[in-house]
Structures are given as C-alpha cells and as structure tokens.
Amino acid sequence: MTILSVYNNNPLIDGRQSDRAMLVRRGTQILLHDMRHAVLPELPLASGRRADLITISEKGEIWIIEIKTSIEDFRVDRKWPEYRLHCDRLFFATHKDVPLDIFPEECGLFLSDGYGAHMIREAPEHRLAPATRKSVTLNFSRAAAQRLMLAEWANGKPLATDDI
C-alpha cells in the first residue's frame, strides 16, 4: 500500500489558497449553504478569470464572492471589477483582522470566522443578460457534475445521495 502520493486526488483542493483564505471560504460557504445557495469554489470564467466562490440561489440569481485575507491582498488585486460581467451580485469575503472600510461600497461584504459568516452589506443587483446567465449556469452545472464524479472516483466508492 502506498504511504505517500505525489498526486492530489481530491478535486476540491487545488493548493493555491492560504490557510486563512480557506477559513474565510469555509465560513462563507456555511452561510451561503444556510441561505440555500448552491456553491462552487474556484470556478473558471469565460473571461479567463477564476471566481473564488460562485453561487446560484433558489431563484437562479448568480453571486460571485471574492475572498481577501489582507489589505495587501485587496490592494494588489485589481481584477475584481471584471467579475461583474459574470454575476448578478458581487461580494467580498474577509475575516476580522482586515479593516472592512477598504472594501468598495458598490459590492456586498461577508465577514467570516471559518465556522460561519455574517453578511455585513448586501450587494446591489446588476442583472445578467439572458445569454450570459445561460452560459454561466451551464459552466457552473458542468463543473459541479465533473467535480462530483471526480470526488466519487477519488473516494473509491459511489457517493450516497445523502452525502450531497
């Protein structure tokens, strides 16, 4: 039996995120799940960018959440306005050690502690065009199905529907 594998066979972990970012992500995902959103992390977008978190609500509204773990992280990343082209609402998510006043008012804001999150500010709505909504929804659906299959294969046994 192999003790060490150089291959990461967990499709839900890609190794690019810091431990702090993963904590922010986890708490935010818990809240979004409680809000009955379907959530996917790290979804590549048609623009070539990658959304930290993307969700689809029960009503079909698409949200993107950009995770920022420090002032410097926010200041050096200027690609976030491009995410508006792929969602109905754009949010930031962070933790208690980052000043909340650095985040733009035109975006929503989540504060996460890794065990949950609070919506500090709702994001204004900017509805997607129907063709863009269809494209993002199909991308989301296909990525979710692919990841579920890979998770099943990595686990070595079929996932029960209770696990979803």
Side-chain angles (χ1 to χ4, degrees):
M1 175 198 247
T2 303
I3 297 173
L4 176 66
S5 174
V6 295
Y7 303 103
N8 172 15
N9 66 350
N10 185 335
L12 305 178
I13 298 173
D14 67 11
R16 287 179 293 147
Q17 299 79 16
S18 68
D19 289 343
R20 179 71 76 155
M22 293 302 288
L23 282 174
V24 171
R25 181 171 115 178
R26 184 174 131 210
T28 305
Q29 285 175 300
I30 290 168
L31 174 63
L32 291 164
H33 175 76
D34 290 347
M35 294 172 70
R36 303 184 58 82
H37 281 244
V39 183
L40 273 181
E42 301 297 329
L43 184 71
L45 303 170
S47 64
R49 301 290 185 203
R50 182 182 300 265
D52 290 338
L53 287 174
I54 188 166
T55 78
I56 298 181
S57 74
E58 287 184 306
K59 295 179 181 179
E61 190 171 75
I62 297 169
W63 293 5
I64 290 180
I65 298 92
E66 177 70 3
I67 296 171
K68 295 296 170 203
T69 59
S70 68
I71 295 171
E72 187 65 18
D73 184 17
F74 177 73
R75 287 192 178 142
V76 299
D77 182 3
R78 289 291 162 215
K79 67 184 181 300
W80 64 265
E82 297 176 33
Y83 293 131
R84 287 193 190 283
L85 302 173
H86 306 280
C87 64
D88 296 308
R89 296 181 192 266
L90 179 61
F91 292 82
F92 285 96
T94 193
H95 58 89
K96 67 176 180 60
D97 296 331
V98 178
L100 301 181
D101 61 353
I102 68 169
F103 296 103
E105 291 287 328
E106 66 266 18
C107 296
L109 184 60
F110 291 103
L111 183 63
S112 171
D113 65 4
Y115 299 98
H118 294 283
M119 185 186 294
I120 303 298
R121 182 173 57 235
E122 180 74 51
E125 183 180 55
H126 44 88
R127 301 285 297 167
L128 287 173
T132 304
R133 178 175 311 287
K134 179 179 179 180
S135 173
V136 172
T137 302
L138 284 172
N139 184 29
F140 184 101
S141 302
R142 293 179 54 78
Q146 184 72 16
R147 291 179 189 180
L148 183 59
M149 181 186 67
L150 292 173
E152 184 176 297
W153 289 356
N155 187 31
K157 58 183 179 182
L159 293 175
T161 55
D162 297 347
D163 295 339
I164 301 174

